[in-house]
Amino acid sequence: MHRLITIERHIQMQQREFPHATGTFTAMLQDMALAAKLIARETTRAGLGNILGAADSDNPFGERQQKLDLFADEVIASLNSEAGRVCAMVSEERSGLIDVPPTYGTGKYVLLYDPLDGSSNIDVNVSIGTIFSIHRKYTRGENGTLDDVLQEGMRLLAAGYVIYGSSTMMVYTTGSGVYGFTLDPVIGEFILSHPNIRIPDKPRYYSVNHANARRWPEGVQHFVNELQGGQHGALQLRYIGSMVSDFHRNLLQGGIFMYPPDTHRPEGKIRLMVEAQALAFIAEQAGGYASDGLRDILTIRPHNLQQRVPFFVGNRELVQRAEALIQQHDHEWINAYQTYCQNQRG
Ligand code: AHG
Ligand code: MN
Ligand code: MN
């Protein structure tokens, strides 16, 4: 029989590389796996309970919340409100920092998450996901501050995502490779199924919302034309509209996911803190690359929790080709985007 490695086991094995570790970080990752199981339980029976559909509320980005968004948000926040664990948490579904009860003391980690990504797909039974990342607190005061949250992606300690698809998978990295685990629903364990994920050299797919094509800057239009028949031959188009699933496919099979800027939104749609940083870190750990069209996502100094970025992620060569074409053609967009970035400084 194949050696079975559960996610708990794997996380403990990874921790042995850090002899001074206290176990808190390990516990956080293990609780993300527990949260994933609790959320998977609800997503698989979403049509049965009273949990499907829109809630009567909007998130800080002005988008309608789904009931499952709120459930997932609550599960992750409450599991991590343990004593001495996090000094701050940030969720796509809440504005500002989530208060950690003072009685729990002040932990040394910051948790950022998108509880359900692609949640507009819930009502039609299409795959959705969870994205998370962990920073280390670096300010000296007792409590976590906004500065602890607004760190560059290259300082991340860990990042991961969960896909609630035809099976449930959790993929994570602590900076030494990317590992994927598939949930065995009968025994309730995540089992290592994808050790050391590397993005294949030869890209197969590109994923983008073509409905926005007319509003893309010229360089992006050239780039997508190239993908449809360039030196690599034509790539196939796949777009689910659930970034975690689109990202996951292209990570395993080679290719690029993008949410480019457009004339309505020079800043694009993807959220830097709760979405882009985590996936950029995972992509980089798997041999890929992520950019906002100008530079490595992991080098962007964030200024605002709600900051958005254009997002190009996947095979390094492809993402760099997008950067080159944007540099060549899209000066007007570059100016508009730089103004947006300046304004984020507040
Ligand atoms: P969320 O459900 O967390 O709000 O994120 C939705 C994001 C992302 O998952 C997806 O790739 C993208 O929005 C789809 O946007 P379009 O419908 O504009 O293509
Ligand atoms: Mn999302
Ligand atoms: Mn979401």
Side-chain angles (χ1 to χ4, degrees), residues 63 69 92-93 114-119 129 131 242-244 269-271 274-275:
E63 299 153 344
D69 281 324
E92 182 183 285
E93 302 303 336
D114 176 357
L116 274 189
D117 176 69
S119 55
I131 305 173
S242 241
M243 182 167 60
V244 170
K269 177 177 186 186
I270 303 305
R271 289 151 269 232
V274 293
E275 296 178 317

Side-chain angles (χ1 to χ4, degrees), residues 282-303:
I282 294 164
E284 188 238 287
Q285 281 293 314
Y289 174 57
S291 169
D292 63 355
L294 298 180
R295 63 212 149 143
D296 187 336
I297 292 282
L298 298 176
T299 64
I300 298 176
R301 175 82 217 277
H303 294 286

Side-chain angles (χ1 to χ4, degrees), residues 112 131-135 148-156 158-160 173 243 247 270-284 290 296-304 307 309 311 313:
L112 301 102
I131 305 173
F132 67 92
S133 55
I134 302 173
H135 273 299
D148 292 309
V149 177
L150 295 173
Q151 300 190 53
E152 289 100 329
M154 62 193 196
R155 294 163 63 105
L156 280 173
T173 180
M243 182 167 60
F247 173 85
I270 303 305
R271 289 151 269 232
L272 176 60
M273 301 313 298
V274 293
E275 296 178 317
Q277 279 193 342
L279 298 189
F281 184 43
I282 294 164
E284 188 238 287
D296 187 336
I297 292 282
L298 298 176
T299 64
I300 298 176
R301 175 82 217 277
H303 294 286
N304 183 336
Q307 198 164 331
V309 280
F311 196 44
V313 62

